[in-house]
Amino acid sequence: MKKILVAFGTRPEAIKLSPLILALKKEEEFSVFTCHSGQHKTLCDDVLDFFGITEDLNLKICEKGSTVSDMTANALLSYTEAIISSEADAVIVHGDTSTAFACALAAFYLKVPIIHVEAGLRSADLFSPFPEEWNRVAIDILSDYCFAPTEDAERNLLENGKKENGIFCVGNTVTDALKYTVTDSYKSDLLEEGKRLVLFTSHRRENIGMPMINICNAVKRIAEEFSDTRIICPMHPNPAVRSVIVPLLSGIENIILSEPLPLFDFHNLLSRSYLVMSDSGGVQEEASTLGIPMLIMRDRTERTEGCKKGIIRLAGTDTASVYNHAKRILTDKAEYERMKSSAYSYGDGNASSRICEILKNKLLH
Ligand code: UDP
């Protein structure tokens, strides 16, 4: 029996690791120890409840300081203790958060094998996304097993000198999560007959300030010009995000500002959207997989596959650019259908079981 500590703490980590935790728990050769960093307390709780997962330990690192340096330093110390006290034989970290990096570093110092899920993403700019690009590069260097979600990610790892026998291209576990959530029978008061649903989110650190103001101004113009749209905007709890969005977008009839939506609602509304406008990484993968045209409000993306296929458009953060891209999609039906038909799926929904099989092979023999 091998004990695996699974580290998470943000909403996207919880969403993408839950299907893997459930798959690992089914295997009698593994014992799973779930370790929450304490970063996104309420956002993660909803996800864990949905999947029926309980946390074995919460490190509460946010209570000890909230700058990136505080969190990384505290997470390094707390994960070190957690790995030692849980007697973990291996750790799983996901993606690119500073706490995932700290957990990988803690495991490295203790010489405990590191498993990186969603490895190999690169924007090729250390400052965008910041500090996530650094975190990804560093975690990949430290990891014994890198699970790449796509062939592009696998190529990035090889180009960075990672040995081929430590890389496995398995698909993205976000597609596994969508298999749990999206259902034909979904109903919601947020859906309005005869209106085209536009799902809008913006929270990225690089966009806070002028870029987010520009994006909101574009969204406002779209809402005013296209009265047949209903724009739903679940707001990230970060006060710096809300201080931009609330003054610019409240009081407009067809814009609904809400608290973060439970994952079940978010995925089902996403699957029924006409257009998605977001700067989120995970939402790009979900929209692309579900075949929903999306504008990504960033200057570059590490999820290049959906863009290359044509379902995702990089719209930047300039008001005119975001507005023009959205207007074209909302008015040009042929263009819209072209985008829709070029969906790219970030996996077949079986990434978790593939990872389990590979880990059985690698850790148990
Ligand atoms: N999400 C959610 N409710 C919301 C907004 C987003 O459940 O109100 C989910 C969404 O489905 C996606 C994830 O949160 O899987 C994205 O998280 P976020 O945008 O915070 O992070 P990123 O992916 O950019 O790191």
Side-chain angles (χ1 to χ4, degrees), residues 11-12 15 203-204 234 236 260-263 266-267 280-283 286:
R11 174 172 62 189
I15 294 169
H203 76 288
R204 292 219 71 85
H236 197 277
L261 292 168
L263 178 67
F266 192 85
H267 275 181
S280 156
V283 176
E286 293 161 349

Side-chain angles (χ1 to χ4, degrees), residues 261-335:
L261 292 168
L263 178 67
F264 178 68
D265 290 288
F266 192 85
H267 275 181
N268 279 288
L269 288 171
L270 181 64
S271 72
R272 286 154 177 83
S273 293
Y274 191 85
L275 169 67
V276 181
M277 300 173 73
S278 178
D279 55 12
S280 156
V283 176
Q284 280 176 72
E285 295 154 350
E286 293 161 349
S288 177
T289 300
L290 294 168
I292 310 297
M294 171 169 170
L295 293 180
I296 171 89
M297 279 97 67
R298 285 161 66 171
D299 294 323
R300 53 165 58 85
T301 178
E302 57 287 76
R303 275 107 174 152
T304 48
E305 299 84 357
C307 288
K308 280 193 254 174
K309 285 288 280 182
I311 181 131
I312 309 274
R313 295 253 160 94
L314 213 49
T317 56
D318 183 65
T319 304
S321 168
V322 174
Y323 166 78
N324 286 329
H325 273 99
K327 182 177 176 181
R328 174 128 193 243
I329 295 170
L330 291 167
T331 48
D332 187 338
K333 190 79 187 142
E335 179 68 4

Side-chain angles (χ1 to χ4, degrees), residues 119 135 228 277 348:
N135 293 332
D228 69 329
M277 300 173 73
D348 61 1

Side-chain angles (χ1 to χ4, degrees), residues 200 202 207 211-219 297 316-317 319 322:
F200 165 58
S202 182
N207 279 348
M212 206 173 281
I213 293 172
N214 293 340
I215 292 167
C216 288
N217 281 327
V219 170
M297 279 97 67
T317 56
T319 304
V322 174

Side-chain angles (χ1 to χ4, degrees), residues 86-298:
S86 66
E87 298 180 350
D89 298 300
V91 304
I92 292 183
V93 297
H94 181 277
D96 54 22
T97 59
S98 297
T99 47
F101 163 60
C103 179
L105 191 58
F108 172 71
Y109 288 152
L110 295 167
K111 298 211 170 89
V112 170
I114 302 157
I115 297 150
H116 189 198
V117 177
E118 200 180 87
L121 269 62
R122 297 288 184 271
S123 70
D125 179 352
L126 268 187
F127 287 89
S128 179
F130 173 84
E132 287 84 1
E133 179 72 1
W134 154 255
N135 293 332
R136 303 169 172 145
V137 173
I139 297 171
D140 284 333
I141 292 171
L142 297 172
S143 293
D144 299 84
Y145 306 109
C146 286
F147 289 104
T150 64
E151 284 172 12
D152 282 2
E154 183 179 26
R155 202 169 312 117
N156 290 336
L157 290 163
L158 289 169
E159 280 171 10
N160 285 185
K162 202 79 202 163
K163 294 262 185 333
E164 209 172 336
N165 61 3
I167 306 172
F168 308 89
C169 189
V170 291
N172 197 313
T173 53
V174 79
T175 314
D176 305 21
L178 287 167
K179 285 212 308 206
Y180 282 89
T181 50
V182 176
T183 159
D184 287 344
S185 58
Y186 179 74
K187 296 208 172 15
S188 166
D189 293 345
L190 290 168
L191 290 165
E192 195 182 334
E193 194 68 33
K195 296 259 178 169
R196 292 187 286 179
L197 173 61
V198 177
L199 197 56
F200 165 58
T201 74
S202 182
H203 76 288
R204 292 219 71 85
R205 198 176 293 118
E206 313 88 83
N207 279 348
I208 293 173
M210 215 46 219
M212 206 173 281
I213 293 172
N214 293 340
I215 292 167
C216 288
N217 281 327
V219 170
K220 185 173 175 189
R221 224 175 131 188
I222 288 293
E224 287 166 350
E225 232 162 88
F226 293 88
S227 56
D228 69 329
T229 58
R230 178 168 234 225
I231 302 179
I232 298 179
C233 170
M235 293 182 292
H236 197 277
N238 184 345
V241 169
R242 293 190 175 204
S243 71
V244 175
I245 293 181
V246 174
L248 286 170
L249 297 184
S250 50
I252 300 167
E253 206 199 333
N254 53 341
I255 297 186
I256 297 169
L257 302 184
S258 78
E259 287 304 312
L261 292 168
L263 178 67
F264 178 68
D265 290 288
F266 192 85
H267 275 181
N268 279 288
L269 288 171
L270 181 64
S271 72
R272 286 154 177 83
S273 293
Y274 191 85
L275 169 67
V276 181
M277 300 173 73
S278 178
D279 55 12
S280 156
V283 176
Q284 280 176 72
E285 295 154 350
E286 293 161 349
S288 177
T289 300
L290 294 168
I292 310 297
M294 171 169 170
L295 293 180
I296 171 89
M297 279 97 67
R298 285 161 66 171

